[in-house]
Amino acid sequence: MSDVTAETIEVPALAGAVPAKIAKGWFERRRQARAQPLRGVPLHAYDEPVIVVRSLTGTFALISDPAGVKRVLVDNVANYPKTEMERRFFSALFGDGLLSTDGELWRRHRRIMAPSFDPRSVAAYGPAIARSCEDFLERWGQLDDGVERDITKDMSSLTLLIIARTMFSTDTEEVIDLVARTMSEGFEGVDFSLLDILPIIGPHRMRRRIRDMEAKFRPLDAAIEKMVAERAAQPDGVVADLLGRLVAATDLETGGGAMTPKEVRDQVVTIFIAGHETMAQAMSWTWYLLDRHPAVARRLHAELDEVLGGRVATQDDLPRLVYTRRVVEESMRLYPPAAGVSTRIALADDEVAGVKIPKGTQVGILPWVMHRHRRLWDEPERFDPDRFSPERSAGRHRFAYMPFGGGPRVCIGQGMAMNEAVII
């Protein structure tokens, strides 16, 4: 089988990517770094557990040691909140969704939303996912032989159909087109720059950006508001889709009430953005890797023939689609849906993996780097689904593989996402 290397595909640079260290051989490393998917990440980041970079803009630490990641995301999480820049960025995109809030507000929303993503709820979304795949297969079946398709666009359309059906119990073109148009137009011009952290200029740019996004989201907000009102009007027979569950959910721990319509709206937008294009990207990379590795594809189809016999997969088939799941897991190792976890800032001095982290240090965790780290994986650039077999997974640190993040803020929809990917 051919290998997939870090240089195979050019991936857009992350905001806040680690600057290359100025030292002996700097120009050579800069030349090599330009060929890397995450531009600016020094090559030795794929070998070292922690690297610390100091520049005129401050100190940045990239953590790739699993125990160190656990220290930042779990053991001493209170010392590492998201940076103010990240909170402003996500707030402009999502309002008060899970990605943009902190503290008690985040904990309350997470508690209220958790039952909507528990195993029983996730299983209830399975039929809508399977039906969407079946409809898409039928659509493909009507194409002329030899027609070329842009798989990334098709996967975007499919995951949008799935989330519309699981979220809203609808597949009307009106709703889907409205969501697609809003997601496309709503985030134009949201790129952040150094101007956004300057006094006077930064707040002005942020206010203007928020006004623009509010205007673009207004039609979708009106549609969501209407559907929320419809769900709230039928408390005894609430629709068992994701929106209905969010509207009806309450804080069982504190006895608090349900989320307000505005809070539901912000969570809906967050779920759409976090769960739509990320899954489309994950599936597109999976098709790419299967195309590059025909032996893996043959083994995958052998399992599908044995388990499904030509029919579309359902929720009940998932426990038997063992190799299929490994293919998805390995695809998301090489091409994680989120290449980086939100940047954190150290509120006090700390020590991570034996390295001193001074107060004020920005701390980054990049699953892309961790998933290709030479201390964590044998032949990390090789596509090998069997590395997720029970035998080879035994003893692997749970923070060595984190396509959905980790710690208390791990993606709330990871169970649903994995089921969706395997069924697709």
Side-chain angles (χ1 to χ4, degrees):
M1 293 186 295
S2 60
D3 288 347
V4 177
T5 69
E7 292 82 17
T8 299
I9 297 294
E10 187 77 3
V11 175
L14 287 178
V18 185
K21 187 176 181 180
I22 299 177
K24 185 177 180 181
W26 180 78
F27 287 106
E28 172 59 20
R29 284 203 299 277
R30 286 295 294 167
R31 183 192 67 76
Q32 295 180 14
R34 280 197 292 272
Q36 297 297 314
L38 299 185
R39 291 198 184 115
V41 176
L43 295 180
H44 66 282
Y46 295 89
D47 293 290
E48 299 298 327
V50 180
I51 62 172
V52 177
V53 178
R54 294 176 177 83
S55 68
L56 295 177
T57 59
T59 303
F60 190 99
L62 177 62
I63 313 295
S64 298
D65 174 73
V69 170
K70 181 173 179 286
R71 170 74 181 173
V72 172
L73 298 183
V74 180
D75 299 336
N76 198 21
V77 63
N79 190 53
Y80 295 98
K82 291 184 178 182
T83 65
E84 179 62 25
M85 183 68 175
E86 293 251 357
R87 285 198 295 268
R88 290 167 59 192
F89 175 80
F90 285 123
S91 179
L93 292 180
F94 310 122
D96 287 333
L98 285 180
L99 289 177
S100 52
T101 52
D102 266 321
E104 183 52 38
L105 179 61
W106 174 84
R107 286 189 286 272
R108 173 177 171 268
H109 284 174
R110 182 86 182 200
R111 288 194 303 266
I112 292 175
M113 295 175 66
S116 299
F117 292 94
D118 64 18
R120 181 179 298 180
S121 297
V122 167
Y125 308 138
I129 298 172
R131 182 162 55 91
S132 300
C133 292
E134 197 163 13
D135 290 348
F136 222 78
L137 280 174
E138 183 178 344
R139 188 183 310 175
W140 272 354
Q142 295 172 355
L143 299 173
D144 295 333
D145 289 344
V147 170
E148 292 186 355
R149 303 290 298 177
D150 184 330
I151 197 67
T152 58
K153 291 182 179 179
D154 276 355
M155 288 301 98
S156 183
S157 297
L158 173 56
T159 56
L160 179 57
L161 177 62
I162 288 172
I163 204 164
R165 284 176 168 172
T166 55
M167 175 75 77
F168 300 138
S169 297
T170 182
D171 54 6
T172 62
E173 293 296 329
E174 180 181 0
V175 172
I176 292 177
D177 288 347
L178 177 59
V179 172
R181 186 168 61 253
T182 304
M183 295 299 155
S184 173
E185 298 175 356
F187 301 109
E188 292 178 353
V190 298
D191 292 340
F192 282 69
S193 71
L194 290 176
L195 294 175
D196 290 293
I197 64 175
L198 296 178
I200 301 176
I201 296 177
H204 172 73
R205 285 169 57 86
M206 182 64 69
R207 287 193 296 270
R208 186 183 63 186
R209 183 180 291 115
I210 291 174
R211 285 197 303 269
D212 291 344
M213 291 187 65
E214 286 177 345
K216 292 174 180 176
F217 269 80
R218 203 161 288 134
L220 178 60
D221 288 344
I224 294 175
E225 183 180 1
K226 179 181 177 182
M227 287 185 280
V228 168
E230 291 172 348
R231 302 300 195 278
Q234 44 181 317
D236 296 329
V238 65
V239 180
D241 56 19
L242 185 50
L243 180 62
R245 294 172 192 271
L246 292 179
V247 170
T250 57
D251 190 341
L252 298 178
E253 181 176 314
T254 66
M259 291 187 290
T260 66
K262 172 63 167 58
E263 290 174 326
V264 171
R265 175 268 178 204
D266 290 346
Q267 303 300 352
V268 166
V269 171
T270 301
I271 293 167
F272 253 112
I273 297 168
H276 163 41
E277 280 302 327
T278 51
M279 283 308 303
Q281 293 174 25
M283 297 315 303
S284 297
W285 285 121
T286 302
W287 303 134
Y288 164 78
L289 289 165
L290 288 171
D291 181 67
R292 289 284 303 272
H293 300 84
V296 174
R298 286 193 296 271
R299 185 173 167 189
L300 170 67
H301 280 281
E303 177 175 89
L304 300 180
D305 290 342
E306 178 183 351
V307 175
L308 304 177
R311 61 179 173 79
V312 173
T314 68
Q315 188 78 16
D316 295 336
D317 296 312
L318 294 178
R320 299 178 61 199
L321 295 174
V322 177
Y323 190 69
T324 308
R325 184 183 180 93
R326 290 180 198 169
V327 168
V328 172
E329 290 174 324
E330 175 70 342
S331 173
M332 290 198 294
R333 182 188 68 83
L334 280 169
Y335 297 103
V341 174
S342 295
T343 305
R344 311 302 173 97
I345 188 149
L347 298 182
D349 293 346
D350 195 19
E351 183 173 310
V352 176
V355 176
K356 299 293 184 181
I357 305 295
K359 175 183 177 180
T361 299
Q362 292 191 61
V363 176
I365 298 167
L366 301 179
W368 179 287
V369 174
M370 294 187 65
H371 291 181
R372 296 166 180 265
H373 204 277
R374 297 178 183 91
R375 295 194 182 192
L376 303 179
W377 305 90
D378 295 328
E379 299 182 274
E381 293 168 357
R382 194 164 85 93
F383 180 58
D384 179 12
D386 278 332
R387 72 173 78 242
F388 286 95
S389 66
E391 298 78 18
R392 293 175 61 184
S393 297
R396 181 179 298 144
H397 198 290
R398 64 190 177 100
F399 282 93
Y401 178 70
M402 43 189 304
F404 299 103
R409 301 191 74 111
V410 66
C411 174
I412 195 172
Q414 63 175 328
M416 181 177 175
M418 280 302 303
N419 287 1
E420 178 181 341
V422 173
I423 291 175
I424 290 176

